Amino acid sequence: MSGPHEAGARIAARPLEARAFAPFGEVIEAAGPPDRIINGGLCGRWHDLARLDFGPGGRAGVSVFRAEPRALPLKLDLLERHPLGSQACIPMTAHPFLVVVAPDEGGAPGRPQAFVTAPGQGVNYRRGVWHAVLTPLHPPGLFAVIDRIAGADDANLEEFRPRTPWIILPPGGSD
Amino acid sequence: MSGPHEAGARIAARPLEARAFAPFGEVIEAAGPPDRIINGGLCGRWHDLARLDFGPGGRAGVSVFRAEPRALPLKLDLLERHPLGSQACIPMTAHPFLVVVAPDEGGAPGRPQAFVTAPGQGVNYRRGVWHAVLTPLHPPGLFAVIDRIAGADDANLEEFRPRTPWIILPPGGSD
Protein backbone atom coordinates (compact mmCIF):
# COMPACT_ATOMS: atom_id res chain seq x y z
CA MET A 1 0.00 0.00 0.00
CA SER A 2 1.37 3.37 -0.84
CA GLY A 3 0.66 6.55 1.05
CA PRO A 4 2.11 9.08 3.41
CA HIS A 5 2.47 6.56 6.21
CA GLU A 6 4.43 4.06 4.22
CA ALA A 7 8.02 4.51 5.25
CA GLY A 8 11.22 2.62 4.96
CA ALA A 9 10.33 1.54 1.43
CA ARG A 10 13.23 0.61 -0.82
CA ILE A 11 13.08 2.50 -4.08
CA ALA A 12 15.36 1.78 -7.03
CA ALA A 13 16.45 4.82 -9.02
CA ARG A 14 15.90 4.75 -12.77
CA PRO A 15 17.62 6.68 -15.54
CA LEU A 16 15.87 10.05 -15.86
CA GLU A 17 13.54 10.18 -18.84
CA ALA A 18 11.13 12.95 -19.82
CA ARG A 19 7.99 10.85 -20.05
CA ALA A 20 8.35 9.25 -16.63
CA PHE A 21 9.15 12.64 -15.11
CA ALA A 22 6.28 14.49 -16.82
CA PRO A 23 3.83 14.32 -13.89
CA PHE A 24 6.35 16.24 -11.80
CA GLY A 25 7.89 18.69 -14.24
CA GLU A 26 10.27 18.85 -17.19
CA VAL A 27 13.63 17.40 -18.05
CA ILE A 28 15.82 20.21 -19.37
CA GLU A 29 17.98 18.62 -22.05
CA ALA A 30 18.98 18.64 -25.71
CA ALA A 31 16.76 15.73 -26.74
CA GLY A 32 16.05 14.99 -30.38
CA PRO A 33 16.70 17.58 -33.09
CA PRO A 34 16.98 21.22 -32.00
CA ASP A 35 13.98 23.52 -32.36
CA ARG A 36 16.13 26.09 -34.13
CA ILE A 37 19.59 26.32 -35.63
CA ILE A 38 21.17 29.69 -34.84
CA ASN A 39 24.48 31.52 -35.05
CA GLY A 40 25.20 30.67 -38.65
CA GLY A 41 24.63 26.97 -38.18
CA LEU A 42 27.03 26.65 -35.25
CA CYS A 43 24.44 26.26 -32.50
CA GLY A 44 21.23 24.37 -31.85
CA ARG A 45 18.53 25.80 -29.60
CA TRP A 46 16.13 23.54 -27.72
CA HIS A 47 13.61 26.22 -26.95
CA ASP A 48 11.68 27.07 -23.81
CA LEU A 49 11.86 23.67 -22.13
CA ALA A 50 10.39 24.33 -18.70
CA ARG A 51 7.08 25.58 -17.36
CA LEU A 52 8.47 28.30 -15.15
CA ASP A 53 6.10 29.74 -12.57
CA PHE A 54 7.10 32.38 -10.06
CA GLY A 55 3.68 32.78 -8.51
CA PRO A 56 1.97 35.94 -7.36
CA GLY A 57 4.37 38.62 -6.17
CA GLY A 58 7.45 36.68 -7.20
CA ARG A 59 10.01 37.09 -9.96
CA ALA A 60 12.58 34.87 -11.66
CA GLY A 61 16.04 34.61 -10.16
CA VAL A 62 19.18 32.62 -10.80
CA SER A 63 21.10 31.36 -7.78
CA VAL A 64 24.00 28.95 -7.44
CA PHE A 65 23.72 25.99 -5.08
CA ARG A 66 26.71 23.94 -3.95
CA ALA A 67 25.64 20.75 -2.22
CA GLU A 68 27.54 17.96 -0.50
CA PRO A 69 27.80 14.87 -2.68
CA ARG A 70 25.94 11.80 -1.44
CA ALA A 71 26.24 8.10 -2.28
CA LEU A 72 23.69 5.42 -3.12
CA PRO A 73 22.08 3.65 -1.37
CA LEU A 74 20.81 6.78 0.36
CA LYS A 75 18.61 7.17 3.41
CA LEU A 76 16.09 9.80 2.40
CA ASP A 77 14.47 11.41 5.43
CA LEU A 78 13.24 14.69 3.99
CA LEU A 79 11.14 15.85 1.08
CA GLU A 80 10.18 19.43 0.41
CA ARG A 81 7.97 21.45 -1.90
CA HIS A 82 7.56 25.05 -2.95
CA PRO A 83 3.91 26.05 -2.96
CA LEU A 84 4.53 29.41 -4.62
CA GLY A 85 6.75 28.58 -7.56
CA SER A 86 8.61 26.18 -9.80
CA GLN A 87 12.28 25.35 -9.28
CA ALA A 88 14.69 24.45 -12.07
CA CYS A 89 18.04 22.81 -11.27
CA ILE A 90 20.76 22.97 -13.90
CA PRO A 91 23.96 21.02 -13.18
CA MET A 92 27.11 23.06 -13.85
CA THR A 93 29.12 19.88 -14.38
CA ALA A 94 28.55 16.78 -16.50
CA HIS A 95 28.15 14.56 -13.42
CA PRO A 96 24.88 12.71 -12.82
CA PHE A 97 22.77 13.62 -9.81
CA LEU A 98 19.85 12.06 -8.00
CA VAL A 99 16.31 13.35 -8.50
CA VAL A 100 13.56 12.14 -6.16
CA VAL A 101 9.96 13.27 -6.52
CA ALA A 102 6.66 12.12 -5.10
CA PRO A 103 2.98 12.64 -5.85
CA ASP A 104 0.96 14.55 -3.31
CA GLU A 105 -1.53 12.48 -1.34
CA GLY A 106 -3.68 14.71 0.80
CA GLY A 107 -0.96 17.18 1.68
CA ALA A 108 1.87 14.69 2.20
CA PRO A 109 4.07 12.84 -0.27
CA GLY A 110 3.03 9.45 -1.56
CA ARG A 111 5.54 6.85 -2.67
CA PRO A 112 8.64 8.58 -4.10
CA GLN A 113 10.13 7.92 -7.49
CA ALA A 114 13.88 8.21 -7.94
CA PHE A 115 15.88 9.02 -11.04
CA VAL A 116 19.55 9.40 -11.88
CA THR A 117 20.34 12.00 -14.52
CA ALA A 118 22.61 11.60 -17.53
CA PRO A 119 25.19 14.27 -18.35
CA GLY A 120 23.42 17.28 -19.84
CA GLN A 121 20.13 16.80 -18.03
CA GLY A 122 18.58 19.30 -15.65
CA VAL A 123 15.10 19.28 -14.17
CA ASN A 124 12.31 21.70 -13.44
CA TYR A 125 10.05 20.85 -10.52
CA ARG A 126 6.59 22.21 -11.12
CA ARG A 127 5.12 24.41 -8.39
CA GLY A 128 4.07 22.35 -5.39
CA VAL A 129 5.79 19.09 -6.41
CA TRP A 130 7.36 17.13 -3.56
CA HIS A 131 11.07 16.57 -4.19
CA ALA A 132 14.28 15.76 -2.41
CA VAL A 133 16.80 18.51 -1.84
CA LEU A 134 19.63 18.78 -4.35
CA THR A 135 21.52 15.50 -4.27
CA PRO A 136 24.71 15.45 -6.29
CA LEU A 137 26.53 12.14 -6.50
CA HIS A 138 29.93 13.69 -7.23
CA PRO A 139 31.84 16.79 -6.18
CA PRO A 140 31.67 19.75 -6.62
CA GLY A 141 27.86 19.51 -6.50
CA LEU A 142 27.38 22.80 -8.29
CA PHE A 143 24.03 23.82 -9.79
CA ALA A 144 22.31 26.91 -11.12
CA VAL A 145 18.79 27.12 -9.71
CA ILE A 146 16.07 29.20 -11.33
CA ASP A 147 13.32 29.82 -8.84
CA ARG A 148 11.01 32.34 -7.24
CA ILE A 149 12.56 35.40 -5.65
CA ALA A 150 10.31 37.24 -3.22
CA GLY A 151 10.40 38.87 0.19
CA ALA A 152 12.31 37.42 3.14
CA ASP A 153 9.12 36.19 4.80
CA ASP A 154 7.96 34.34 1.69
CA ALA A 155 6.27 31.09 2.75
CA ASN A 156 7.60 29.08 -0.17
CA LEU A 157 8.88 25.98 1.63
CA GLU A 158 7.06 22.99 3.10
CA GLU A 159 8.96 20.03 4.49
CA PHE A 160 7.95 16.44 5.14
CA ARG A 161 9.88 13.93 7.24
CA PRO A 162 8.75 10.30 7.03
CA ARG A 163 8.64 8.24 10.24
CA THR A 164 11.22 5.91 8.73
CA PRO A 165 13.54 7.04 5.95
CA TRP A 166 13.05 5.77 2.43
CA ILE A 167 16.05 3.92 1.02
CA ILE A 168 17.03 4.98 -2.47
CA LEU A 169 18.93 2.27 -4.32
CA PRO A 170 21.13 2.75 -7.37
CA PRO A 171 19.71 1.87 -10.80
CA GLY A 172 19.39 -1.88 -10.94
CA GLY A 173 18.17 -1.85 -7.38
CA SER A 174 21.03 -3.57 -5.57
CA ASP A 175 22.49 -2.22 -2.35
CA MET B 1 41.73 54.56 -31.28
CA SER B 2 38.74 52.50 -30.34
CA GLY B 3 35.36 52.71 -31.99
CA PRO B 4 33.01 50.89 -34.26
CA HIS B 5 35.34 51.25 -37.24
CA GLU B 6 38.35 49.77 -35.55
CA ALA B 7 38.64 46.26 -36.88
CA GLY B 8 41.22 43.56 -36.98
CA ALA B 9 42.33 44.42 -33.45
CA ARG B 10 44.06 41.68 -31.51
CA ILE B 11 42.45 41.19 -28.13
CA ALA B 12 43.86 38.95 -25.43
CA ALA B 13 41.31 37.10 -23.34
CA ARG B 14 41.54 37.41 -19.57
CA PRO B 15 40.26 35.13 -16.82
CA LEU B 16 36.62 36.07 -16.16
CA GLU B 17 36.22 38.12 -13.00
CA ALA B 18 33.08 39.78 -11.66
CA ARG B 19 34.46 43.30 -11.31
CA ALA B 20 35.82 43.52 -14.85
CA PHE B 21 32.57 42.07 -16.20
CA ALA B 22 30.30 44.34 -14.17
CA PRO B 23 29.70 46.94 -16.90
CA PHE B 24 28.21 44.19 -19.05
CA GLY B 25 26.35 41.99 -16.58
CA GLU B 26 26.95 39.47 -13.83
CA VAL B 27 29.16 36.45 -13.33
CA ILE B 28 27.00 33.61 -12.01
CA GLU B 29 29.25 31.69 -9.61
CA ALA B 30 29.72 30.50 -6.05
CA ALA B 31 32.16 33.25 -5.04
CA GLY B 32 32.99 33.88 -1.39
CA PRO B 33 30.84 32.48 1.40
CA PRO B 34 27.26 31.47 0.54
CA ASP B 35 24.41 33.86 1.27
CA ARG B 36 22.51 31.07 3.02
CA ILE B 37 23.17 27.55 4.26
CA ILE B 38 20.18 25.34 3.56
CA ASN B 39 19.12 21.69 3.62
CA GLY B 40 20.39 20.96 7.09
CA GLY B 41 23.84 22.37 6.44
CA LEU B 42 24.43 20.27 3.32
CA CYS B 43 24.03 23.07 0.76
CA GLY B 44 25.14 26.65 0.25
CA ARG B 45 22.97 29.09 -1.69
CA TRP B 46 24.48 32.05 -3.51
CA HIS B 47 21.28 33.95 -3.91
CA ASP B 48 19.78 35.84 -6.85
CA LEU B 49 22.99 36.52 -8.73
CA ALA B 50 21.76 38.03 -11.98
CA ARG B 51 19.73 41.05 -12.98
CA LEU B 52 17.21 39.24 -15.12
CA ASP B 53 15.10 41.39 -17.41
CA PHE B 54 12.55 39.98 -19.82
CA GLY B 55 11.30 43.31 -21.07
CA PRO B 56 7.77 44.36 -21.90
CA GLY B 57 5.58 41.51 -23.10
CA GLY B 58 8.21 38.86 -22.42
CA ARG B 59 8.60 36.12 -19.86
CA ALA B 60 11.44 34.00 -18.50
CA GLY B 61 12.31 30.78 -20.30
CA VAL B 62 15.00 28.12 -20.02
CA SER B 63 16.40 26.72 -23.26
CA VAL B 64 19.35 24.46 -23.97
CA PHE B 65 21.98 25.54 -26.49
CA ARG B 66 24.53 23.17 -27.97
CA ALA B 67 27.27 25.02 -29.82
CA GLU B 68 30.27 23.90 -31.85
CA PRO B 69 33.50 24.21 -29.89
CA ARG B 70 35.99 26.76 -31.17
CA ALA B 71 39.71 27.25 -30.60
CA LEU B 72 41.84 30.28 -29.74
CA PRO B 73 43.07 32.37 -31.46
CA LEU B 74 39.61 32.99 -32.88
CA LYS B 75 38.52 35.24 -35.73
CA LEU B 76 35.48 37.04 -34.36
CA ASP B 77 33.35 38.44 -37.14
CA LEU B 78 29.99 38.83 -35.40
CA LEU B 79 28.63 40.43 -32.27
CA GLU B 80 24.98 40.52 -31.30
CA ARG B 81 22.73 42.08 -28.72
CA HIS B 82 19.23 41.61 -27.40
CA PRO B 83 17.43 44.95 -27.04
CA LEU B 84 14.44 43.47 -25.22
CA GLY B 85 15.96 41.31 -22.51
CA SER B 86 18.89 39.91 -20.59
CA GLN B 87 20.44 36.55 -21.45
CA ALA B 88 22.06 34.23 -18.91
CA CYS B 89 24.31 31.39 -20.08
CA ILE B 90 24.97 28.53 -17.67
CA PRO B 91 27.49 25.91 -18.77
CA MET B 92 26.25 22.34 -18.21
CA THR B 93 29.83 21.06 -18.04
CA ALA B 94 32.89 22.18 -16.09
CA HIS B 95 34.73 23.26 -19.26
CA PRO B 96 35.75 26.88 -19.71
CA PHE B 97 34.18 28.93 -22.48
CA LEU B 98 34.92 32.23 -24.16
CA VAL B 99 32.94 35.36 -23.29
CA VAL B 100 33.33 38.44 -25.48
CA VAL B 101 31.48 41.68 -24.77
CA ALA B 102 31.77 45.24 -26.00
CA PRO B 103 30.51 48.65 -24.94
CA ASP B 104 28.03 50.36 -27.19
CA GLU B 105 29.34 53.37 -29.08
CA GLY B 106 26.54 55.10 -30.91
CA GLY B 107 24.67 51.96 -31.83
CA ALA B 108 27.64 49.78 -32.73
CA PRO B 109 30.12 47.89 -30.56
CA GLY B 110 33.30 49.58 -29.40
CA ARG B 111 36.47 47.64 -28.66
CA PRO B 112 35.57 44.17 -27.38
CA GLN B 113 36.80 42.64 -24.16
CA ALA B 114 37.36 38.90 -24.00
CA PHE B 115 37.25 36.57 -21.01
CA VAL B 116 37.76 32.88 -20.45
CA THR B 117 35.60 31.36 -17.71
CA ALA B 118 36.71 29.07 -14.93
CA PRO B 119 34.75 25.89 -14.14
CA GLY B 120 31.56 26.85 -12.32
CA GLN B 121 31.16 30.27 -13.90
CA GLY B 122 28.20 31.37 -15.99
CA VAL B 123 27.34 34.85 -17.19
CA ASN B 124 24.32 37.08 -17.54
CA TYR B 125 24.41 39.65 -20.31
CA ARG B 126 22.40 42.68 -19.38
CA ARG B 127 19.73 43.78 -21.84
CA GLY B 128 21.29 45.46 -24.87
CA VAL B 129 24.90 44.43 -24.19
CA TRP B 130 26.93 43.53 -27.27
CA HIS B 131 28.33 40.02 -26.97
CA ALA B 132 29.68 37.17 -29.05
CA VAL B 133 27.50 34.14 -29.64
CA LEU B 134 28.05 31.16 -27.35
CA THR B 135 31.64 30.07 -27.79
CA PRO B 136 32.54 26.84 -26.02
CA LEU B 137 36.18 25.81 -26.16
CA HIS B 138 35.48 22.11 -25.60
CA PRO B 139 32.79 19.63 -26.60
CA PRO B 140 29.90 19.09 -25.98
CA GLY B 141 29.31 22.87 -25.81
CA LEU B 142 26.14 22.48 -23.78
CA PHE B 143 24.52 25.42 -21.96
CA ALA B 144 21.26 26.32 -20.30
CA VAL B 145 20.16 29.78 -21.42
CA ILE B 146 17.68 31.88 -19.47
CA ASP B 147 16.28 34.58 -21.69
CA ARG B 148 13.20 36.36 -22.94
CA ILE B 149 10.44 34.28 -24.44
CA ALA B 150 7.97 36.22 -26.56
CA GLY B 151 6.15 35.97 -29.86
CA ALA B 152 7.72 34.62 -33.04
CA ASP B 153 8.09 38.11 -34.52
CA ASP B 154 9.90 39.45 -31.45
CA ALA B 155 12.61 41.90 -32.57
CA ASN B 156 15.09 40.86 -29.91
CA LEU B 157 18.25 40.42 -32.01
CA GLU B 158 20.64 42.93 -33.51
CA GLU B 159 23.83 41.82 -35.23
CA PHE B 160 27.04 43.66 -36.03
CA ARG B 161 29.76 42.47 -38.43
CA PRO B 162 33.05 44.36 -38.35
CA ARG B 163 34.77 45.14 -41.67
CA THR B 164 37.72 43.05 -40.52
CA PRO B 165 37.34 40.36 -37.86
CA TRP B 166 38.71 40.90 -34.41
CA ILE B 167 41.30 38.33 -33.37
CA ILE B 168 40.75 36.90 -29.89
CA LEU B 169 43.95 35.54 -28.37
CA PRO B 170 44.20 33.11 -25.47
CA PRO B 171 45.02 34.46 -21.99
CA GLY B 172 48.62 35.62 -22.07
CA GLY B 173 48.05 37.02 -25.53
CA SER B 174 50.19 34.71 -27.63
CA ASP B 175 48.94 33.21 -30.88
Short mmCIF file of all heavy atoms in Angstrom, two decimals, chain A residues 31-67:
data_model
loop_
_atom_site.label_atom_id
_atom_site.label_comp_id
_atom_site.label_asym_id
_atom_site.label_seq_id
_atom_site.Cartn_x
_atom_site.Cartn_y
_atom_site.Cartn_z
N ALA A 31 17.26 17.02 -26.26
CA ALA A 31 16.76 15.73 -26.74
C ALA A 31 16.20 15.87 -28.14
O ALA A 31 15.47 16.82 -28.44
CB ALA A 31 15.67 15.21 -25.80
N GLY A 32 16.55 14.94 -29.01
CA GLY A 32 16.05 14.99 -30.38
C GLY A 32 16.68 16.15 -31.13
O GLY A 32 17.66 16.76 -30.68
N PRO A 33 16.13 16.47 -32.31
CA PRO A 33 16.70 17.58 -33.09
C PRO A 33 16.38 18.92 -32.43
O PRO A 33 15.37 19.05 -31.75
CB PRO A 33 16.01 17.45 -34.45
CG PRO A 33 14.76 16.68 -34.19
CD PRO A 33 15.01 15.81 -32.99
N PRO A 34 17.24 19.91 -32.61
CA PRO A 34 16.98 21.22 -32.00
C PRO A 34 15.75 21.89 -32.61
O PRO A 34 15.39 21.63 -33.76
CB PRO A 34 18.24 22.02 -32.31
CG PRO A 34 18.90 21.32 -33.44
CD PRO A 34 18.51 19.88 -33.37
N ASP A 35 15.13 22.76 -31.85
CA ASP A 35 13.98 23.52 -32.36
C ASP A 35 14.42 24.56 -33.38
O ASP A 35 13.65 24.92 -34.28
CB ASP A 35 13.26 24.19 -31.19
CG ASP A 35 12.69 23.18 -30.24
OD1 ASP A 35 11.87 22.35 -30.67
OD2 ASP A 35 13.09 23.17 -29.05
N ARG A 36 15.62 25.09 -33.20
CA ARG A 36 16.13 26.09 -34.13
C ARG A 36 17.63 25.89 -34.26
O ARG A 36 18.29 25.49 -33.31
CB ARG A 36 15.93 27.52 -33.57
CG ARG A 36 14.50 27.85 -33.29
CD ARG A 36 14.41 29.21 -32.62
NE ARG A 36 13.07 29.41 -32.10
CZ ARG A 36 12.70 30.42 -31.32
NH1 ARG A 36 13.59 31.32 -30.95
NH2 ARG A 36 11.46 30.52 -30.91
N ILE A 37 18.15 26.24 -35.44
CA ILE A 37 19.59 26.32 -35.63
C ILE A 37 19.92 27.81 -35.71
O ILE A 37 19.29 28.54 -36.49
CB ILE A 37 20.03 25.61 -36.93
CG1 ILE A 37 19.63 24.13 -36.89
CG2 ILE A 37 21.52 25.78 -37.14
CD1 ILE A 37 20.49 23.27 -36.01
N ILE A 38 20.86 28.26 -34.91
CA ILE A 38 21.17 29.69 -34.84
C ILE A 38 22.67 29.89 -35.02
O ILE A 38 23.42 28.93 -35.19
CB ILE A 38 20.68 30.30 -33.50
CG1 ILE A 38 21.31 29.58 -32.30
CG2 ILE A 38 19.15 30.22 -33.42
CD1 ILE A 38 20.96 30.19 -30.95
N ASN A 39 23.06 31.16 -35.01
CA ASN A 39 24.48 31.52 -35.05
C ASN A 39 25.18 30.92 -36.26
O ASN A 39 26.25 30.31 -36.15
CB ASN A 39 25.18 31.10 -33.75
CG ASN A 39 24.54 31.74 -32.52
OD1 ASN A 39 23.77 32.68 -32.64
ND2 ASN A 39 24.86 31.24 -31.35
N GLY A 40 24.57 31.10 -37.41
CA GLY A 40 25.20 30.67 -38.65
C GLY A 40 25.42 29.17 -38.73
O GLY A 40 26.38 28.70 -39.33
N GLY A 41 24.54 28.42 -38.10
CA GLY A 41 24.63 26.97 -38.18
C GLY A 41 25.48 26.34 -37.10
O GLY A 41 25.60 25.12 -37.02
N LEU A 42 26.09 27.18 -36.26
CA LEU A 42 27.03 26.65 -35.25
C LEU A 42 26.36 26.24 -33.95
O LEU A 42 27.02 25.73 -33.05
CB LEU A 42 28.12 27.70 -34.94
CG LEU A 42 29.11 27.97 -36.08
CD1 LEU A 42 30.08 29.08 -35.69
CD2 LEU A 42 29.88 26.69 -36.41
N CYS A 43 25.07 26.48 -33.80
CA CYS A 43 24.44 26.26 -32.50
C CYS A 43 22.99 25.80 -32.67
O CYS A 43 22.25 26.36 -33.48
CB CYS A 43 24.49 27.57 -31.69
SG CYS A 43 23.93 27.42 -29.99
N GLY A 44 22.62 24.79 -31.91
CA GLY A 44 21.23 24.37 -31.85
C GLY A 44 20.56 24.92 -30.61
O GLY A 44 21.21 25.03 -29.56
N ARG A 45 19.30 25.30 -30.75
CA ARG A 45 18.53 25.80 -29.60
C ARG A 45 17.34 24.90 -29.36
O ARG A 45 16.48 24.75 -30.24
CB ARG A 45 18.06 27.24 -29.85
CG ARG A 45 17.23 27.79 -28.69
CD ARG A 45 16.85 29.28 -28.86
NE ARG A 45 16.02 29.70 -27.74
CZ ARG A 45 16.16 30.85 -27.06
NH1 ARG A 45 17.09 31.72 -27.41
NH2 ARG A 45 15.37 31.12 -26.05
N TRP A 46 17.29 24.29 -28.19
CA TRP A 46 16.13 23.54 -27.72
C TRP A 46 15.36 24.53 -26.86
O TRP A 46 15.81 24.90 -25.76
CB TRP A 46 16.57 22.30 -26.94
CG TRP A 46 17.09 21.21 -27.82
CD1 TRP A 46 16.42 20.09 -28.22
CD2 TRP A 46 18.41 21.11 -28.41
NE1 TRP A 46 17.24 19.32 -29.01
CE2 TRP A 46 18.44 19.92 -29.15
CE3 TRP A 46 19.55 21.92 -28.40
CZ2 TRP A 46 19.58 19.51 -29.85
CZ3 TRP A 46 20.68 21.52 -29.09
CH2 TRP A 46 20.67 20.33 -29.81
N HIS A 47 14.23 24.96 -27.37
CA HIS A 47 13.61 26.22 -26.95
C HIS A 47 12.58 26.06 -25.83
O HIS A 47 11.69 25.22 -25.94
CB HIS A 47 12.92 26.83 -28.19
CG HIS A 47 12.31 28.16 -27.97
ND1 HIS A 47 13.06 29.28 -27.72
CD2 HIS A 47 11.01 28.57 -27.95
CE1 HIS A 47 12.25 30.33 -27.56
NE2 HIS A 47 11.01 29.92 -27.69
N ASP A 48 12.74 26.84 -24.79
CA ASP A 48 11.68 27.07 -23.81
C ASP A 48 11.18 25.74 -23.22
O ASP A 48 10.02 25.38 -23.35
CB ASP A 48 10.54 27.84 -24.49
CG ASP A 48 9.54 28.42 -23.49
OD1 ASP A 48 9.87 28.55 -22.30
OD2 ASP A 48 8.40 28.73 -23.91
N LEU A 49 12.08 25.07 -22.51
CA LEU A 49 11.86 23.67 -22.13
C LEU A 49 11.12 23.47 -20.83
O LEU A 49 10.77 22.34 -20.49
CB LEU A 49 13.23 22.97 -22.05
CG LEU A 49 14.02 22.95 -23.37
CD1 LEU A 49 15.39 22.31 -23.14
CD2 LEU A 49 13.26 22.21 -24.45
N ALA A 50 10.93 24.52 -20.05
CA ALA A 50 10.39 24.33 -18.70
C ALA A 50 9.20 25.25 -18.46
O ALA A 50 9.19 26.40 -18.90
CB ALA A 50 11.47 24.62 -17.65
N ARG A 51 8.22 24.74 -17.76
CA ARG A 51 7.08 25.58 -17.36
C ARG A 51 7.46 26.33 -16.11
O ARG A 51 7.24 25.85 -14.99
CB ARG A 51 5.87 24.70 -17.07
CG ARG A 51 5.13 24.32 -18.31
CD ARG A 51 3.69 23.94 -17.94
NE ARG A 51 3.45 22.54 -18.23
CZ ARG A 51 2.44 21.84 -17.77
NH1 ARG A 51 1.56 22.39 -16.95
NH2 ARG A 51 2.28 20.57 -18.09
N LEU A 52 8.06 27.48 -16.29
CA LEU A 52 8.47 28.30 -15.15
C LEU A 52 7.26 29.01 -14.57
O LEU A 52 6.35 29.41 -15.30
CB LEU A 52 9.54 29.31 -15.58
CG LEU A 52 10.79 28.70 -16.23
CD1 LEU A 52 11.78 29.80 -16.59
CD2 LEU A 52 11.44 27.68 -15.33
N ASP A 53 7.28 29.20 -13.27
CA ASP A 53 6.10 29.74 -12.57
C ASP A 53 6.63 30.38 -11.29
O ASP A 53 7.14 29.69 -10.41
CB ASP A 53 5.16 28.57 -12.28
CG ASP A 53 3.98 28.94 -11.39
OD1 ASP A 53 3.86 30.11 -10.99
OD2 ASP A 53 3.19 28.03 -11.09
N PHE A 54 6.56 31.69 -11.22
CA PHE A 54 7.10 32.38 -10.06
C PHE A 54 6.02 32.91 -9.14
O PHE A 54 6.31 33.66 -8.20
CB PHE A 54 8.10 33.45 -10.51
CG PHE A 54 9.15 32.87 -11.41
CD1 PHE A 54 9.16 33.11 -12.77
CD2 PHE A 54 10.08 31.98 -10.89
CE1 PHE A 54 10.09 32.51 -13.60
CE2 PHE A 54 11.03 31.37 -11.71
CZ PHE A 54 11.03 31.64 -13.07
N GLY A 55 4.80 32.52 -9.42
CA GLY A 55 3.68 32.78 -8.51
C GLY A 55 3.35 34.25 -8.37
O GLY A 55 3.98 35.12 -8.97
N PRO A 56 2.34 34.54 -7.57
CA PRO A 56 1.97 35.94 -7.36
C PRO A 56 3.02 36.65 -6.52
O PRO A 56 3.50 36.12 -5.51
CB PRO A 56 0.65 35.83 -6.59
CG PRO A 56 0.67 34.47 -5.96
CD PRO A 56 1.49 33.59 -6.85
N GLY A 57 3.42 37.82 -6.96
CA GLY A 57 4.37 38.62 -6.17
C GLY A 57 5.81 38.16 -6.24
O GLY A 57 6.66 38.68 -5.54
N GLY A 58 6.08 37.17 -7.08
CA GLY A 58 7.45 36.68 -7.20
C GLY A 58 8.04 37.06 -8.55
O GLY A 58 7.34 37.51 -9.44
N ARG A 59 9.34 36.88 -8.67
CA ARG A 59 10.01 37.09 -9.96
C ARG A 59 11.07 36.01 -10.13
O ARG A 59 11.44 35.33 -9.17
CB ARG A 59 10.66 38.48 -10.03
CG ARG A 59 11.73 38.70 -8.98
CD ARG A 59 12.47 40.03 -9.19
NE ARG A 59 13.38 40.25 -8.06
CZ ARG A 59 14.59 39.72 -7.94
NH1 ARG A 59 15.06 38.92 -8.88
NH2 ARG A 59 15.34 39.96 -6.88
N ALA A 60 11.55 35.86 -11.36
CA ALA A 60 12.58 34.87 -11.66
C ALA A 60 13.92 35.30 -11.10
O ALA A 60 14.28 36.47 -11.17
CB ALA A 60 12.71 34.70 -13.17
N GLY A 61 14.66 34.35 -10.57
CA GLY A 61 16.04 34.61 -10.16
C GLY A 61 16.91 33.42 -10.48
O GLY A 61 16.41 32.29 -10.60
N VAL A 62 18.20 33.69 -10.63
CA VAL A 62 19.18 32.62 -10.80
C VAL A 62 20.10 32.63 -9.59
O VAL A 62 20.70 33.66 -9.27
CB VAL A 62 20.03 32.82 -12.07
CG1 VAL A 62 21.04 31.68 -12.21
CG2 VAL A 62 19.17 32.91 -13.30
N SER A 63 20.20 31.51 -8.92
CA SER A 63 21.10 31.36 -7.78
C SER A 63 22.03 30.19 -8.07
O SER A 63 21.76 29.38 -8.96
CB SER A 63 20.31 31.09 -6.50
OG SER A 63 19.39 32.16 -6.25
N VAL A 64 23.13 30.12 -7.34
CA VAL A 64 24.00 28.95 -7.44
C VAL A 64 23.90 28.18 -6.14
O VAL A 64 23.93 28.79 -5.05
CB VAL A 64 25.45 29.34 -7.76
CG1 VAL A 64 26.39 28.15 -7.64
CG2 VAL A 64 25.54 29.92 -9.17
N PHE A 65 23.74 26.87 -6.24
CA PHE A 65 23.72 25.99 -5.08
C PHE A 65 24.97 25.10 -5.14
O PHE A 65 25.29 24.57 -6.21
CB PHE A 65 22.50 25.06 -5.10
CG PHE A 65 21.18 25.69 -4.70
CD1 PHE A 65 20.91 27.03 -4.92
CD2 PHE A 65 20.19 24.91 -4.12
CE1 PHE A 65 19.68 27.59 -4.57
CE2 PHE A 65 18.95 25.45 -3.77
CZ PHE A 65 18.70 26.79 -3.99
N ARG A 66 25.62 24.94 -4.01
CA ARG A 66 26.71 23.94 -3.95
C ARG A 66 26.37 22.99 -2.82
O ARG A 66 26.31 23.40 -1.65
CB ARG A 66 28.06 24.60 -3.74
CG ARG A 66 29.22 23.60 -3.94
CD ARG A 66 30.57 24.27 -3.92
NE ARG A 66 30.83 24.86 -2.63
CZ ARG A 66 31.67 25.87 -2.42
NH1 ARG A 66 32.32 26.42 -3.43
NH2 ARG A 66 31.85 26.36 -1.22
N ALA A 67 26.12 21.74 -3.19
CA ALA A 67 25.64 20.75 -2.22
C ALA A 67 26.66 19.64 -2.01
O ALA A 67 27.43 19.31 -2.92
CB ALA A 67 24.31 20.17 -2.69
#
